[in-house]
Amino acid sequence: MAIDSSLPSPILAPPPNEKFATALQFIEEMTKNCDKVQENVLAEILGQNANTEYLQRFNLDGASDRDTFKSKIPVVTYEDIQPDIQRIANGDRSPIFCSHPISEFLTSSGTSAGERKLMPTIREEMDRRQLLYSLLMPVMNLYVPDLDKGKGLYFLFIKAETKTPGGLVARPVLTSYYKSDQFKTRPYDPYNVYTSPDEAILCTDSYQSMYTQMLCGLLMREQVLRLGAVFASGLLRAIRFLQLNWRQLAHDISTGSLNPRITDRFIQERMKKILLEPDTDLAEFIIKECENENWERIIVRIWPNTKYLDVIVTGAMAQYIPLLDFYSGGLPKPCTMYASSECYFGLNLKPMNKPDEVSYTIMPNMGYFEFIPHEPANPVQLSRKLPPRLVDLADVEVGKEYELVVTTYSGLCRYRVGDILRVTQFHNSAPQFKFIRRKNVLLSIDADKTDESELQKAVENAYALLRDFDTTVVEYTSFADTKTIPGHYVIYWELLVKDPVHGPTGEVLEKCCLVMEESMNSVYRQCRVADNSVGPLEIRVVKNGTFEEVMDYAISRGASINQYKAPRCVSFTPIVELLDSRVVSSHFSPVPPYWTPERRV
Ligand code: AMP
């Protein structure tokens, strides 16, 4: 077994203070005692929730040991527990999953029946998440010293929230965090000083929020030591925003006045203290850099002291690495943590590793973790009657792939998160995982995740419009086009038009694009409408016979003729190029699809 038994070397900067030393020691203690900590966490969760309806339903009878738990509690998906979640959403305050009161719902970017999944959470989970955050800087400091000598330009946003029929708030986990007292009244910490004022982060209008955050980042450009957003797509959106808005930003800086589109009075008040006087030198510098057509290395040109980009580029976000490298001249991209609405899992102990070498260490104190061996050729059969014996955190094997299953303090029991992870090595006795992919996700640009059945449904709905034109879709596939920011979904269609004179017009095909977008889940539509993080969907009609060529290509590379199925999503460059070279017309969604924060019933 490959064991990585100590914190990273070479250690460039030893802990500068006791808080950091304690954090590093905590990581060591947790990872050295991985199995014991897991045993205790499970006992604590089961003890806390012994009287809940859920555990009683499976006759756990107060047992808190692993064996009884594993033999009685089924492994579940969201759909299995959705009726109970609905009861909580409707106002049932009895202890269904958890003995502590449910404080709110966290809305996952994973969807069920087209809507975001609702994850019940409890107040104390916020502290657990905070604990994980508090470990990030002590680890980063081992590699990048002096991060207390400047600021972080982070593009952070809150999103719309709703209330369930029973009155509980439902919102994304980061919105919950930024709106919490833990965040708003956080004590001064020289290692976590942001250029963005809280007033900008907390503004729900995405233009005003982004504009103010960018303006402050420009004003403090010399002090910026790191640039970040949660995901890579968010940072690229900020760069795109700068491309579109640098003239106005430079104008504000040169005149010391605020863009009239910024009407939020909290931002206005705060900016009076930041945008104190005109700075024509800075404005001229920004104009000079931005009007240059070549934006290569723009990040380090504008923010010359940036040491790294704090963004996640693992999983679906890996598609943005080349563009981030282009804009930043290849700055390191430490993927600091691995988390979800269900549970925050862990952190990257070697943040300076290259993206394809990133492994996350799941912290055993965050929840109780089990693993379903992931062998597509030989899938594990999960029966509700006879719960399977899953692999424990400390027992996973290097090189093998697993699906993550979590049991949380908020009451999720043996819940399948949907992530596939591969064990790379161990840190002490805790395994480290490479994020492989999320199960069933075909297309993703930002927070959106579209699976095969959602795409199929969307194509079918659009296809219905073609019947009047005696036209059928012979074959289709899709592609997440991220060459432009924001990226967008491309659907390649090969059509059989029976009567070319009366075939579908461009207008009809545009309507097909919109129908597809209307059919997508609410996270997709929110990205399109509220966040502008996904561009209009495009249909590219390809020449007849194109999909046969795609098949020939696949077969020439070893695919079996008998088992060949057209891929529902392509990313391999030669195939995308082949498809693109056969495009006869292209059509975009003319208007954004319907979306409101309210859930569709
Ligand atoms: P959400 O529930 O919307 O917060 O999304 C959580 C999901 O985002 C996880 O289950 C992963 O699929 C994905 N995710 C979170 N952190 C990472 C990461 N560091 N690398 C890759 N994917 C991640």
Side-chain angles (χ1 to χ4, degrees):
M1 184 192 294
I3 294 191
D4 175 17
S5 60
S6 61
L7 271 172
S9 66
I11 291 177
L12 298 179
N17 57 43
E18 207 173 309
K19 218 169 89 186
F20 277 24
T22 309
L24 296 177
Q25 207 181 334
F26 178 76
I27 294 173
E28 287 303 280
E29 268 167 33
M30 288 297 117
T31 53
K32 278 187 176 143
N33 302 299
C34 177
D35 201 46
K36 188 77 204 141
V37 175
Q38 281 284 274
E39 192 177 351
N40 292 344
V41 164
L42 182 65
E44 209 181 338
I45 292 174
L46 297 181
Q48 172 198 291
N49 293 335
N51 294 326
T52 57
E53 186 183 318
Y54 193 77
L55 292 184
Q56 289 188 350
R57 195 181 294 163
F58 298 105
N59 303 315
L60 205 63
D61 299 331
S64 61
D65 62 289
R66 285 189 222 202
D67 283 345
T68 316
F69 175 71
K70 283 173 185 267
S71 66
K72 295 196 167 182
I73 305 294
V75 175
V76 293
T77 61
Y78 184 80
E79 284 67 30
D80 295 318
I81 57 171
Q82 206 268 342
D84 287 320
I85 289 190
Q86 197 56 52
R87 283 170 57 204
I88 302 172
N90 290 343
D92 191 334
R93 295 282 174 270
S94 64
I96 297 176
F97 291 119
C98 184
S99 61
H100 293 202
I102 300 301
S103 54
E104 60 184 303
F105 280 109
L106 301 178
T107 55
S108 163
S109 58
T111 53
S112 173
E115 293 295 339
R116 286 172 177 271
K117 292 175 184 167
L118 291 174
M119 296 298 164
T121 190
I122 56 176
R123 220 167 290 284
E124 65 167 77
E125 273 296 275
M126 186 78 86
D127 298 332
R128 205 162 278 112
R129 292 193 280 267
Q130 186 67 43
L131 173 70
L132 191 65
Y133 284 130
S134 74
L135 305 178
L136 304 181
M137 266 305 178
V139 170
M140 187 57 81
N141 174 74
L142 296 172
Y143 297 93
V144 188
D146 296 333
L147 288 171
D148 57 337
K149 308 282 187 298
K151 299 185 179 185
L153 166 50
Y154 281 72
F155 296 94
L156 306 175
F157 301 94
I158 58 166
K159 296 199 175 177
E161 56 186 51
T162 51
K163 281 225 161 118
T164 65
L168 282 172
V169 172
R171 55 191 176 186
V173 62
L174 289 176
T175 300
S176 166
Y177 176 58
Y178 300 142
K179 287 182 136 185
S180 71
D181 287 340
Q182 271 102 327
F183 181 77
K184 286 196 283 193
T185 60
R186 61 198 182 278
Y188 175 77
D189 169 1
Y191 285 89
N192 277 305
V193 182
Y194 300 130
T195 53
S196 297
D198 287 2
E199 290 80 355
I201 297 171
L202 292 169
C203 174
T204 40
D205 180 297
S206 61
Y207 174 84
Q208 296 190 53
S209 176
M210 176 76 95
Y211 188 92
T212 312
Q213 298 195 48
M214 184 59 84
L215 181 58
C216 293
L218 293 172
L219 288 166
M220 296 173 225
R221 74 179 193 98
E222 304 273 0
Q223 298 170 52
V224 171
L225 300 182
R226 51 203 169 108
L227 245 81
V230 181
F231 289 113
S233 52
L235 186 54
L236 287 169
R237 209 157 63 246
I239 299 299
R240 179 75 191 137
F241 187 89
L242 182 61
Q243 275 172 343
L244 296 175
N245 293 281
W246 58 267
R247 278 180 206 283
Q248 178 69 44
L249 287 156
H251 174 268
D252 288 9
I253 293 169
S254 72
T255 56
S257 62
L258 190 60
N259 175 354
R261 280 181 69 186
I262 308 303
T263 52
D264 181 294
R265 66 189 170 83
F266 297 107
I267 295 185
Q268 287 176 338
E269 283 305 310
R270 184 65 190 265
M271 289 310 289
K272 277 188 197 150
K273 298 185 192 121
I274 296 175
L275 196 58
L276 288 173
E277 48 192 55
D279 185 341
T280 45
D281 288 349
L282 176 58
E284 274 167 28
F285 168 80
I286 290 164
I287 293 169
K288 185 173 100 337
E289 291 298 340
C290 295
E291 70 184 0
N292 183 343
E293 299 248 301
N294 181 3
W295 273 50
E296 191 171 356
R297 301 182 73 255
I298 192 76
I299 290 179
V300 279
R301 276 161 33 198
I302 294 187
W303 295 280
N305 300 317
T306 313
K307 301 184 180 196
Y308 62 88
L309 305 180
D310 197 349
V311 284
I312 287 175
V313 287
T314 42
M317 292 293 143
Q319 61 191 334
Y320 296 109
I321 293 173
L323 208 48
L324 282 176
D325 284 344
F326 175 80
Y327 287 132
S328 73
L331 280 177
K333 295 164 281 300
C335 304
T336 50
M337 66 190 279
Y338 170 41
S340 77
S341 317
E342 294 89 338
C343 181
Y344 276 27
F345 305 120
L347 74 170
N348 176 3
L349 295 181
K350 294 201 170 152
M352 287 299 130
N353 274 8
K354 295 208 183 76
D356 58 352
E357 291 165 1
V358 168
S359 288
Y360 297 101
T361 306
I362 291 187
M363 289 297 287
N365 60 304
M366 298 303 290
Y368 177 64
F369 304 103
E370 294 175 275
F371 297 85
I372 305 174
H374 180 69
E375 292 158 18
N378 184 19
V380 172
Q381 298 302 326
L382 296 178
S383 130
R384 269 187 78 103
K385 290 219 177 72
L386 186 65
R389 180 95 203 173
L390 304 185
V391 182
D392 274 316
L393 181 62
D395 297 334
V396 293
E397 291 176 47
V398 171
K400 291 205 170 155
E401 289 188 6
Y402 298 92
E403 183 188 334
L404 178 61
V405 171
V406 69
T407 297
T408 66
Y409 284 87
S410 301
L412 292 178
C413 276
R414 309 193 92 190
Y415 177 88
R416 298 173 76 166
V417 175
D419 290 347
I420 307 292
L421 311 174
R422 184 187 303 139
V423 186
T424 53
Q425 59 179 355
F426 276 68
H427 175 73
N428 297 320
S429 60
Q432 301 184 299
F433 297 91
K434 182 176 167 102
F435 183 93
I436 301 299
R437 62 187 174 85
R438 196 170 166 97
K439 260 175 64 187
N440 302 333
V441 172
L442 211 58
L443 288 163
S444 174
I445 297 283
D446 186 49
D448 56 298
K449 299 174 177 67
T450 299
D451 69 22
E452 191 166 336
S453 63
E454 288 171 320
L455 180 65
Q456 172 73 20
K457 187 90 210 123
V459 170
E460 277 168 18
N461 289 348
Y463 173 36
L465 298 189
L466 299 183
R467 294 219 178 92
D468 292 345
F469 301 90
D470 219 0
T471 297
T472 47
V473 178
V474 178
E475 199 52 278
Y476 73 91
T477 190
S478 65
F479 170 60
D481 188 342
T482 51
K483 284 189 214 89
T484 54
I485 298 295
H488 68 289
Y489 289 10
V490 173
I491 315 296
Y492 292 95
W493 262 5
E494 184 173 323
L495 300 178
L496 181 65
V497 187
K498 306 235 169 77
D499 174 4
V501 180
H502 298 109
T505 58
E507 205 180 319
V508 172
L509 289 163
E510 282 183 5
K511 257 198 200 141
C512 290
C513 295
L514 183 59
V515 166
M516 280 200 228
E517 293 203 295
E518 296 281 3
S519 315
M520 298 291 179
N521 64 49
S522 75
V523 179
Y524 174 90
R525 286 178 286 114
Q526 179 170 9
C527 287
R528 273 283 282 128
V529 178
D531 306 345
N532 278 320
S533 56
V534 175
L537 181 144
E538 178 184 4
I539 289 178
R540 291 184 192 159
V541 179
V542 292
K543 265 206 235 150
N544 286 1
T546 301
F547 278 86
E548 252 182 73
E549 289 188 67
V550 171
M551 180 174 79
D552 291 345
Y553 183 83
I555 288 167
S556 74
R557 290 175 52 91
S560 138
I561 301 189
N562 293 333
Q563 287 165 322
Y564 179 81
K565 284 193 234 59
R568 286 295 172 236
C569 180
V570 293
S571 56
F572 186 50
T573 311
I575 297 208
V576 178
E577 283 173 357
L578 170 71
L579 287 161
D580 279 337
S581 68
R582 304 294 186 270
V583 170
V584 287
S585 65
S586 124
H587 313 269
F588 288 89
S589 211
V591 289
Y594 171 82
W595 177 80
T596 73
E598 305 308 323
R599 300 167 69 81
R600 274 182 184 170
V601 277

